[in-house]
């Protein structure tokens, strides 16, 4: 069988959200695909250091992270770029002028920084993800922006008619919008090129809005049963839900595993 390169989104594709647990059948599928000589990688919106943490759990060493803006091979970061810096600066200046709280992730770490302490009122620190409050933080000094978070209380988004930086955004819990790269296909192409493989050898699995850019006609696109309708519409094949052996059932359907 021709060697394939499999790319898996994490949350609600490979792992059940919010626990982040990989179903046994999915882990078996990853291991069996590797045993049969295929390449297996993650393709996630998570920042590289967070993707690496999950990759270790899944027994993987290659992954596309940062929504396609970084690739890691054999646990070594090969390339990583931020978002459009000028656009980020301009948008943060707009938020400042309208007294809208924000935070940014400006380095490859599990956390964000903000001058607004009130963010902690509705977005407290998590066990592995920290919010640093620095009243003197100046975003103009940031060299790379990897994520921007915008915070608003109930009804405030409509009342203030808050502008969005781009149409590509994620509703990140109550009262928060997240902007991050959504170009997973870019990272997949870079990974294929790194290994000297062709687009028609790629197989991608996804479920969410940020996977739309990953579903391309030049490779095989598989949507989970729990995927967004927009993604299912672009899929070549729709498998069962993440927690209903979706990865295993698709791999078995295409006879990549027994």
């Amino acid at each position: 069988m021709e060697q394939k390169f499999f790319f898996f989104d994490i949350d609600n594709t490979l792992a059940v959200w919010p626990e982040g647990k990989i179903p046994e059948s999915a882990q078996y599928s990853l291991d069996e695909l590797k045993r049969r000589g295929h390449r297996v990688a993650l393709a996630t919106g998570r920042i590289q250091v967070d993707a690496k943490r999950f990759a270790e759990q899944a027994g993987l060493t290659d992954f596309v992270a940062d929504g396609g803006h970084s690739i890691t091979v054999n646990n070594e970061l090969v390339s990583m770029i931020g978002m459009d810096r000028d656009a980020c600066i301009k948008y943060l200046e707009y938020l400042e002028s309208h007294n809208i709280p924000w935070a940014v992730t400006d380095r490859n770490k599990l956390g964000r920084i903000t001058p607004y302490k009130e963010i902690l009122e509705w977005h407290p620190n998590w066990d592995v993800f920290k919010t640093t409050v620095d009243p003197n933080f100046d975003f103009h000094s940031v060299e790379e922006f990897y994520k921007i978070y915008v915070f608003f209380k109930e009804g405030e988004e409509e009342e203030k008619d808050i502008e969005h930086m781009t149409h590509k955004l994620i509703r990140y819990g109550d009262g928060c919008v997240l902007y991050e790269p959504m170009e997973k296909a870019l990272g997949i192409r870079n990974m294929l090129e790194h290994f000297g493989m062709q687009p028609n050898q790629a197989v991608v699995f996804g479920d969410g809005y940020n996977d739309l850019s990953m579903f391309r006609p030049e490779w095989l696109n598989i949507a989970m049963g729990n995927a967004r309708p927009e993604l299912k519409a672009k899929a070549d094949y729709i498998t069962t839900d993440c927690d209903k052996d979706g990865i295993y059932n698709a791999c078995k359907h295409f006879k990549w595993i027994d």
Side-chain angles (χ1 to χ4, degrees):
M1 179 181 290
E2 178 190 36
Q3 185 186 36
K4 297 289 186 181
F5 204 146
F6 293 87
F7 295 89
F8 295 93
D9 171 57
I10 297 177
D11 299 314
N12 280 331
T13 296
L14 186 57
V16 181
W17 173 265
E19 295 83 4
K21 183 178 180 181
I22 304 174
E24 289 184 11
S25 63
Q27 188 63 59
Y28 167 80
S29 300
L30 298 184
D31 297 340
E32 187 66 6
L33 289 170
K34 290 190 294 180
R35 189 187 72 80
R36 294 182 177 221
H38 300 295
R39 292 199 174 276
V40 181
L42 302 176
T44 178
R46 297 189 189 193
I47 198 162
Q48 193 268 350
V49 67
D50 192 20
K52 186 173 184 179
R53 186 171 64 99
F54 184 87
E56 291 172 354
Q57 175 186 338
L60 302 176
T61 59
D62 302 331
F63 50 93
V64 172
D66 299 280
H69 278 205
S70 75
I71 64 170
T72 298
V73 176
N74 197 24
N75 281 326
E76 294 294 328
L77 180 61
V78 174
S79 64
M80 184 174 183
I81 58 174
M83 297 188 289
D84 183 318
R85 184 177 183 276
D86 290 341
C88 291
I89 293 289
K90 182 178 180 180
Y91 186 62
L92 289 166
E93 288 176 342
Y94 158 77
L95 295 175
E96 283 281 277
S97 69
H98 287 73
N99 298 312
I100 301 167
W102 52 266
V104 301
T105 296
D106 62 340
R107 59 198 65 194
N108 188 19
K109 66 177 184 180
L110 283 167
R112 60 193 172 201
I113 187 167
T114 178
Y116 297 94
K117 64 180 180 180
E118 58 264 38
I119 285 175
L120 297 176
E121 296 175 9
W122 68 91
H123 262 240
N125 282 319
W126 305 329
D127 290 341
V128 297
F129 188 93
K130 302 297 182 184
T131 299
T132 300
V133 177
D134 178 359
N136 299 314
F137 177 71
D138 181 6
F139 59 81
H140 294 93
S141 64
V142 173
E143 295 182 2
E144 295 279 5
F145 293 94
Y146 299 112
K147 298 181 188 293
I148 292 179
Y149 305 81
V150 182
F151 299 89
F152 42 83
K153 293 182 170 59
E154 185 176 356
E156 191 175 24
E157 185 180 14
E158 293 77 18
E159 290 172 7
K160 290 188 175 183
D161 193 21
I162 296 175
E163 294 180 9
H164 293 301
M165 180 179 171
T166 70
H167 70 280
K168 296 179 179 179
L169 56 90
I170 298 172
R171 298 286 172 178
Y172 202 60
D174 293 333
C176 181
V177 165
L178 167 64
Y179 298 94
E180 62 181 8
M182 292 191 188
E183 299 181 283
K184 288 186 180 182
L186 172 65
I188 290 171
R189 291 190 189 98
N190 289 340
M191 188 75 88
L192 290 168
E193 183 178 350
H194 180 90
F195 284 101
M197 297 178 70
Q198 300 302 311
N200 62 9
Q201 292 178 269
V203 180
V204 303
F205 285 75
D207 75 285
Y209 180 71
N210 70 344
D211 295 319
L212 285 169
S213 76
M214 183 172 71
F215 275 34
R216 303 293 303 166
E218 56 263 40
W219 49 64
L220 184 64
N221 308 284
I222 299 178
M224 306 305 291
N226 51 271
R228 286 178 176 266
E230 301 95 324
L231 197 71
K232 289 182 177 179
K234 293 184 67 174
D236 299 303
Y237 180 77
I238 301 172
T239 186
T240 52
D241 290 6
C242 170
D243 60 354
K244 293 181 172 60
D245 301 324
I247 300 295
Y248 173 81
N249 288 335
C251 289
K252 191 171 181 180
H253 171 82
F254 286 100
K255 297 181 169 57
W256 295 318
I257 65 174
D258 295 329

